[in-house]
Amino acid sequence: MASGGRMVEMGMDTANTQIFRSTVLLSSGEEGVVFSCRGRQRFCLTILEGWQSATTIGPFGGPDGKPWDDGSGHTGVRGIKLTYKGAVGSFRAVYDLNGNPDLGPGHPSGDFSYRPGDAYFNFREGERITGVSGHVGVVPYDPTTTPVVRSIKFTTNENIYGPYGVEEGTPFNAQIPDGAFISGFEGRSNGYYLNSIGFHQRTP
């Protein structure tokens, strides 16, 4: 879970899942970010005191595929699962939500030949992503004529995960400042490839 801001949580059970975010003025005079927590049969509001509103980094990749956004209301990233071969296929993140794991929505690939290239890693307590890098480009001998995410690598304060895929094309490299954290991923997927990837970032 991210540190640096004070969190106040209110919650209740509900059959609906909602995502929204707004800014409130706290009694201390600071601005707090209020956002909903996505989860099964659960609804809560969290106030992050001392954290700025999320900024979006990226996306990196091409314009094809259906856009998706996991939201910016998480308190960190706990793990990532993806498939890869000549490019990155499917992508799914496990987020932190006030100290609890929150499985993000899947963005699958229908190309079953990517299944042998599975990568699934969980971050240890205190481990956070400090950089996201990789390559974007067109896959040779493929009907897709626009760039996709050919490779991706995650650097943390403790380890390096990847690169996954093929390091060909135009490189990208996004660094997360000290004290900041990723609060959600966004991107585009066409059912075969991860066409683009970006993320929401919060800083103190």
Side-chain angles (χ1 to χ4, degrees), residues 7-10 33-35 37 44-48 75 98:
M7 299 184 184
V8 181
E9 182 177 347
M10 301 172 287
V33 179
V34 181
F35 58 87
C37 304
C44 66
L45 292 179
T46 304
I47 301 175
L48 273 74
T75 48
N98 297 333

Side-chain angles (χ1 to χ4, degrees), residues 121-193:
F121 45 91
N122 290 308
F123 302 128
R124 298 188 296 183
E125 185 176 355
E127 187 177 7
R128 70 176 188 88
I129 298 174
T130 58
V132 181
S133 59
H135 291 75
V136 298
V138 176
V139 179
Y141 313 110
D142 189 272
T144 303
T145 58
T146 58
V148 301
V149 180
R150 298 293 310 276
S151 73
I152 195 165
K153 178 173 69 175
F154 299 92
T155 303
T156 74
N157 55 325
E158 297 184 9
N159 292 296
I160 295 176
Y161 300 86
Y164 303 106
V166 177
E167 293 184 285
E168 294 180 356
T170 303
F172 68 90
N173 189 348
Q175 298 299 308
I176 293 87
D178 289 343
F181 66 96
I182 291 177
S183 60
F185 287 96
E186 67 164 18
R188 304 180 75 94
S189 298
N190 65 1
Y192 292 95
Y193 299 115

Side-chain angles (χ1 to χ4, degrees), residues 108-124:
S109 167
D111 189 343
F112 291 98
S113 67
Y114 276 51
R115 290 292 176 85
D118 276 346
Y120 182 43
F121 45 91
N122 290 308
F123 302 128
R124 298 188 296 183

Side-chain angles (χ1 to χ4, degrees), residues 96-109:
D96 183 274
L97 200 57
N98 297 333
N100 298 307
D102 181 39
L103 182 62
H107 311 291
S109 167

Side-chain angles (χ1 to χ4, degrees), residues 3-63:
S3 60
R6 187 169 73 88
M7 299 184 184
V8 181
E9 182 177 347
M10 301 172 287
M12 63 180 178
D13 291 331
T14 181
N16 298 317
T17 298
Q18 302 181 40
I19 299 177
F20 63 89
R21 177 168 61 89
S22 60
T23 302
V24 296
L25 185 64
L26 304 172
S27 58
S28 61
E30 295 180 289
E31 282 192 345
V33 179
V34 181
F35 58 87
S36 69
C37 304
R38 185 186 53 75
R40 293 182 178 177
Q41 307 296 316
R42 184 170 179 268
F43 174 81
C44 66
L45 292 179
T46 304
I47 301 175
L48 273 74
E49 297 186 22
W51 291 99
Q52 296 180 6
S53 297
T55 57
T56 302
I57 310 299
F60 306 99

